[in-house]
Amino acid sequence: MEEKAIICKDLTKQFGDFVAVNKISFEVDSGEIFGFLGANGAGKTTAMRMLCGLSFPSSGEATVAGFNVFNQQEKIKRNIGYMSQKFSLYENLSILENIEFFGGIYGLSDRQLKEKGEELVNTLRLQKEAKKMVGELPLGWKQKLAFSVAIIHKPKIVFLDEPTGGVDPITRRQFWDLIYKAADDGITVFVTTHYMDEAEYCNRISIMVDGRIDALDTPTNLKKQFSAETMNDVFYELARGAKRSDN
Amino acid sequence: MRTLKFLLRKEFKQIFRDKGLLPLIFIMPMIQLLVMPLAANFDVKNVNVAIVDHDHSTYTQQLVNKIGASGYFRIANYSDSYKEALHLVEHEKADIILEIPQNFERNLIRENNQKVFLAADAINGVKGSIGSAYLTTVLTDFNSDVRLKWVQPQRLGAVSTIGIDYSNWFNPLMDYHKFMVPAILALLVTMVGGFVAALNIVREKEIGTIEQINVTPIKKWEFILGKMIPFWLIGIFDFTLGLLIARFVYGIIPVGSIATLYLFVSVYMIALLGFGLLVSTYSSNQLQAMFVAFFFMMIFILMSGLFSPVENMPQWAKVISNLTPVTHFVEVMRMIVLKGSTFANIKKQFFIEIIFAVVLNSWAIWNYRKTS
């Protein structure tokens, strides 16, 4: 388990003149919960999409689960799970049907699908809603379901893009319980968030500013390094210098 | 293959749950087939004739009666003022003016010669030209009646005329339903298949589910095939329903082999769905896909020979027409249904459709990017 889950060296993505991700380098250990922080527009999602094999990098090098992001994207996809910022399960399929579909295309057997379906519904306490269309569920439940589906095939790494956006604190707490459980099962977690309390839950965090990674360490060390009380202060300190923003 | 099973299961569930899509697939085509052939009729009937009679003789009376009795004309007005008749044309109450000059009867009998004046409103080109052609026929007919009655037999012998007998092959009664129904059936299979396919992948792009698909190890051809098979089946189903309507409502039974017909439709549907999916892979939202598909569909349909014969088009238009899959389908539909053409007769069109199917689908698979 000592191998690196993600190795990233000078990874860059350029759209015309705009450098969305500017030579980022970092490594993520297997089994780690790695927080990927940054203001809106800092380039988090673009970086994550490159690592997931959804987007071609412009330059640099990176391997995910031991596979190259330039030419082994389909092999990477076999080994990762991904939960995008936008809810992307099928709203007009029921909970069980979504589980069956995504499990099915990852190659789970019929027996595994049945077991997984039951297990998931029980863990998420969705027994009564199992046959309901996903579109009818409240957001918090949808997000927990999307996460569970993203790791249904026991991937080596799961990428979560702002998984708890717009979700209430109690549900967020429950969501992090799910993340810890996945990490206990040996899944490496790569997560972006805007909530600094969540950043504290990570083993290590990186903070992106204007396409670069300006800080990378454990939350404790970062607070020490910036002589700050909370992660919030660390974030302010770094993000204040940003030139890009939403507007 | 197992992946395909899950894709198909999902696709079918979604189609049957989509309340907006179901009427589009199952009801709209039926209504089209029941209504459009009745309207798309090129028989020119009810041509309104304004007669300007300056003679008021027995002969003009007979001529007017003959025109009225032909079944194609309605006498819109009978007067002795050309101005009044023109006024009616201007107000679209009359399509043709027939002006009978003074001394019509006298000149016809004494001098064996008389001219009448015919003016047609050419705004509606078809009605104008076909209407005046019909009217000319009625006048010629009237002419020979007069000759028989008045002209001396020995003098008649000097003039020889050629008579023509007609025979309309494959559609003896020139029934426009027979001609239009197979083509409209082709049209609606095209509309349903093309639009539904064009809107499908782009819909997943719009709601974001395509991201979740793209991050799985699913193969591109599996995904495209998973989209295509359900719509292919729907197309074949609609086609069958259409054939049944043609049989029981219009009494049209294909003269040729049903098997050949289905063989051709099967390949045609693959080509057409390939086109739809291609549009889908190039568009970023449903609105865009709709307009692009609509643009091409209009060209396909108007240039397919459905309403105006391809033979009448200028050379450049013929080239475009032959570059659309719809043209060959409409042609083959008419050949098999009306003429009873065999596979040997439609071989050329069949291979052209295969080429369309291969090119359009390969293009769609190539252009669908899991990594951008």
Side-chain angles (χ1 to χ4, degrees), chain B residues 90-107:
Chain B
E90 279 165 358
H91 288 80
E92 298 191 352
K93 297 221 170 66
D95 304 304
I96 293 182
I97 302 173
L98 175 68
E99 190 178 24
I100 303 168
Q102 227 170 352
N103 302 328
F104 172 75
E105 184 176 292
R106 201 190 67 193
N107 287 348

Side-chain angles (χ1 to χ4, degrees), chain B residues 26-97:
Chain B
F26 297 107
I27 300 179
M28 193 191 78
M30 300 307 113
I31 292 178
Q32 275 187 343
L33 200 56
L34 289 172
V35 174
M36 274 177 67
L38 300 176
N41 191 331
F42 294 141
D43 258 352
V44 173
K45 279 181 186 153
N46 306 325
V47 180
N48 296 311
V49 190
I51 293 175
V52 183
D53 189 355
H54 298 296
D55 196 39
H56 295 289
S57 61
T58 328
Y59 266 23
T60 61
Q61 271 312 319
Q62 281 176 11
L63 181 58
V64 171
N65 285 342
K66 202 171 168 68
I67 292 170
S70 70
Y72 294 103
F73 300 102
R74 274 187 28 216
I75 310 293
N77 188 43
Y78 182 85
S79 68
D80 52 12
S81 152
Y82 187 77
K83 228 173 138 187
E84 190 182 323
L86 199 59
H87 193 72
L88 286 172
V89 172
E90 279 165 358
H91 288 80
E92 298 191 352
K93 297 221 170 66
D95 304 304
I96 293 182
I97 302 173

Side-chain angles (χ1 to χ4, degrees), chain B residues 8 11-12 15 225-235:
Chain B
L8 289 177
E11 227 40 74
F12 274 114
I15 290 170
L225 208 57
K227 291 286 178 193
M228 180 169 293
I229 292 173
F231 297 128
W232 185 85
L233 287 172
I234 288 168

Side-chain angles (χ1 to χ4, degrees), chain B residues 184-199:
Chain B
I184 289 175
L185 179 53
L187 171 77
L188 68 89
V189 171
T190 305
M191 296 274 280
V192 172
F195 279 120
V196 172
L199 289 179

Side-chain angles (χ1 to χ4, degrees), chain A residues 13 49 52-56 73-74 77-78 80 82 84 86-90 92-94 97 100-102 104-106 108-110 113 133, chain B residues 2-3 5-7 9-10 13-14 17-18 203-219 223 227 369-372:
Chain A
K13 177 83 185 190
R49 286 174 53 88
C52 291
L54 286 173
S55 163
F56 285 107
Q73 288 105 340
E74 295 306 301
K77 286 171 189 175
R78 235 177 263 286
I80 61 164
Y82 173 68
S84 81
K86 204 169 166 186
F87 179 75
S88 50
L89 296 184
Y90 291 98
N92 52 1
L93 294 184
S94 74
E97 285 164 348
E100 184 197 86
F101 173 69
F102 284 103
I105 57 179
Y106 276 112
L108 267 60
S109 70
D110 288 339
L113 284 176
M133 295 300 129
Chain B
R2 202 173 137 75
T3 310
K5 184 183 91 179
F6 286 103
L7 277 169
R9 198 184 285 174
K10 166 210 150 224
K13 275 181 188 150
Q14 289 189 307
R17 278 176 197 166
D18 191 333
R203 190 184 155 93
E204 294 221 16
K205 277 191 199 170
E206 219 175 272
I207 53 182
T209 46
I210 196 114
E211 283 266 286
Q212 207 61 48
I213 293 285
N214 286 345
V215 85
T216 68
I218 206 167
K219 295 199 175 53
F223 182 68
K227 291 286 178 193
R369 301 284 158 85
K370 285 183 69 186
T371 308
S372 55

Side-chain angles (χ1 to χ4, degrees), chain A residues 101-128:
Chain A
F101 173 69
F102 284 103
I105 57 179
Y106 276 112
L108 267 60
S109 70
D110 288 339
R111 209 175 49 114
Q112 281 174 310
L113 284 176
K114 198 165 175 291
E115 284 171 9
K116 270 284 175 191
E118 278 169 20
E119 182 196 318
L120 266 179
V121 167
N122 287 332
T123 343
L124 298 177
R125 306 216 180 113
L126 290 172
Q127 290 93 333
K128 273 188 211 149

Side-chain angles (χ1 to χ4, degrees), chain B residues 252-267:
Chain B
I252 297 171
I253 306 165
V255 183
S257 141
I258 299 271
T260 316
L261 205 54
Y262 271 93
L263 179 70
F264 195 89
V265 176
S266 305
V267 176

Side-chain angles (χ1 to χ4, degrees), chain A residues 11-71:
Chain A
L11 195 67
T12 301
K13 177 83 185 190
Q14 203 164 345
F15 299 102
D17 287 340
F18 178 70
V19 186
V21 174
N22 193 357
K23 293 190 174 177
I24 57 168
S25 304
F26 60 91
E27 291 180 354
V28 178
D29 295 323
S30 279
E32 192 177 19
I33 298 178
F34 189 83
F36 203 57
L37 274 57
N40 291 329
K44 300 185 304 286
T45 300
T46 311
M48 189 181 257
R49 286 174 53 88
M50 284 192 281
L51 296 176
C52 291
L54 286 173
S55 163
F56 285 107
S58 306
S59 64
E61 294 165 33
T63 57
V64 175
F67 299 107
N68 191 309
V69 293
F70 281 90
N71 48 28

